[in-house]
Amino acid sequence: MKTFCGRANPTTGAMEWLEEDENYDYHQEIARSRYADMLHDKDRNVKYYQGIRAAVSRVKERGEKAIVLDIGTGTGLLSMMAASAGADFCYAVEVFKPMANAAVKIVEKNGFRDKIKVINKHSTEVTVGPDGDMQCRANILVTELFDTELIGEGALPTYEHAHKYLVQEGCEAVPHRATVYVQLVESKRMWSWNKLFPVHVEAEDGEKIIVSPSEMEDCPGVPSVCDIQLNQMPSSDFAILSDVVTMFSVDFSKPVRSASTSYRVQLEPVKSGKAQIVLSWWDIDMDPSGMINCTMAPYWVKSTSAFQWRDHWMQCVYFLPNEEPVLQGEKVYLTACRDEYSVWYKLQKARGEEENKAAVRVESPVCRCQAHLLWNRPRFGQLNDQNRTRQYIKSLTKVLKTDSVCLCISDGSLLPVLAHYLGAKQTVCYFLFFLKFFKANNLEDKIKIIEARPELLTSSHLEDKKISVLVGEPFFTTSLLPWHNLYFWYARTAVASHLTSNVTVLPQSASLHMMIVEFQDLWRIRSPCGTCEGFDVQTMDDMIKNSLNFRESKEAEPHPLWEYPCKSLSDPQEILTFDFRKTVPEYSLSTEGSVNLLRKGKSHGAVLWMEYHLAADISVNTGLMQISNEKGNCEWNPHCKQAVYFFSSVIESETLLDLPSAVTYAINFNTKTGEIAMDFKL
Ligand code: SAH
């Protein structure tokens, strides 16, 4: 059987549907999955184990047999914990076939074949009865179906169904309850991920301000959760406006309702400011008393001794539909609305009780301005980065002349507007842009949008003019890895016949940089686990390894490294350059070499990023901003993902003497496919 997988082609910028082996999808799923991260989450595992032991004891004390239903068993871990804790029988339900197969193997290997039955079904398909999947209803319900938003993976409908059909009334549940917490903050940094701030341009004929359309001002944005490693957000980047309050909680031992609903709390701001953001996280109590608690609270809320790094559960950033000024001590109401899978927030001033009650239902956010569909949150942040904009303004000022005919190639870019204000005689652009934006700035008849892909550009699109300045950020929404934005080079090649002989291309070139790093925590997501709480889960490690090596093509993967601290073990090194003044060559670009390890540490992998050279002495860097101290701690561009290539074996060096003091690399940019292949030897 074949399946079709969507993948952007970096040489055409277009989405292509490739026919893939049926195994491709699931290898991707496993290779990039969070199973390894969960198995490394000691705090989670220990607390589940404690909670499960306590629940089994309570049932046994009542003189009942302990029958466990484990929904979403994954590796079978929680069922094995239950069986070890003395459960009489466990039904381990797992919908994802490769995982269910792995669970069977792992359960067998650990000697629980007689105690655990793996059922490869979605829990809502499971039957109960003498001929059913389960002989009888369970009296202990164990699950781990939570995402950063708690309910985003469908925990509520799954629980609702389980209570109706699969478990006994008054059953024990591990976890017993989940509680969602919120805190109101003002944060220019986070707000810049959701709204476009006015852009100031010093033009020859005075200052111009690029504004966003009014629809954008009060657009509620998109409903998808913004989940981040909030612990990497320095306290100087936000102001706390309220205490932490409980927004809602769910008791998993009682029937659960998944239907849409809302919750409201009264807040008394501890500080005056602009309410913009609701920060949110949850905790789970593994037992009814609340003694076994696993929390996602960020650093300023919980004591650091309890700190556990994890990537499968982070914290949520919710954007209020509009920023709302609040006064210290003047009460406001915060409403959380949820449907089966997502949560969103609204803030109201505390006026009349009745008035507020009437207005409680809030529609699920739907972007009305189109900007939130075109720009994701990091992209908003990037466009709001004034430093970055300044580099483009400076370089455009250098290259534009009054007779310049300028073509902009980048998705949802402000460059055409900048070029227009900075004096280009004519500016044309193509690629995802929204007319509303041009209209808001009265530019709709000043900048021409061409609706043709570069290879289809004709001289009539350009009114028979030749392009004298070709610009790009470059940025394309289909890019996953840093070098996918080299599509700009391909587009430049495709429009070559429309360029003047002395065309200025901006950026004139790009370079690929690389550095060897030791991660503080990110290494866990790709690191084998071996045993977990005494259970042998090597089958899972092997499965992940096998999927990572599927077709022997280990690939770099994108990660926003500002969220994942690391230290540099080598100097950053420029390894390839791409000259946009020339067309894409026929042959591949490759390089080999070695990079010296300068600090002791564990070489977890290589980080790669792009730098764009806009004009002489003006560059935009999408990767390493600086190494901030002698320990080698790195600061990364906060709006971009960098490429991480995890080494399959980690070399640890305690002293600089016992190292392999260099890592050798071979990097190949295949100009036919636009992909970069790499190989490292330690
Ligand atoms: N219980 C394991 C794995 C948790 S990951 C552990 O704690 O380590 C959650 C798993 O639940 C995934 O493998 C997913 O495929 C599965 N899953 C989610 N909802 C399900 C449902 N309703 N029925 C069956 N499996 C489900």
Side-chain angles (χ1 to χ4, degrees), residues 516-534:
I516 309 297
V517 302
E518 173 184 81
F519 287 109
Q520 188 179 301
D521 301 295
L522 189 65
W523 58 271
R524 292 172 208 275
I525 67 167
R526 298 287 167 262
S527 161
C529 190
T531 60
C532 181
E533 296 309 305

Side-chain angles (χ1 to χ4, degrees), residues 29 35 38-39 44-45 48 70-78 93-96 99 119 121-124 143-146 153-154 158:
E29 181 102 358
Y35 290 108
M38 293 185 306
L39 294 175
R44 177 197 87 119
N45 301 337
Y48 260 100
D70 169 13
I71 302 180
T73 199
T75 52
L77 179 69
L78 305 183
V93 183
E94 173 56 56
V95 64
F96 185 38
M99 275 317 302
I119 303 167
K121 280 188 176 180
H122 192 269
S123 60
T124 52
T143 84
E144 202 274 62
L145 301 167
F146 314 114
E153 279 173 15
T158 292

Side-chain angles (χ1 to χ4, degrees), residues 516 593-595 645 647 649 651 660 662-666 679-682:
I516 309 297
S594 72
V595 40
Y645 184 95
F647 298 149
S649 58
I651 291 290
V663 174
T664 58
Y665 60 82
D679 194 24
F680 292 87
K681 288 205 173 59
L682 300 169

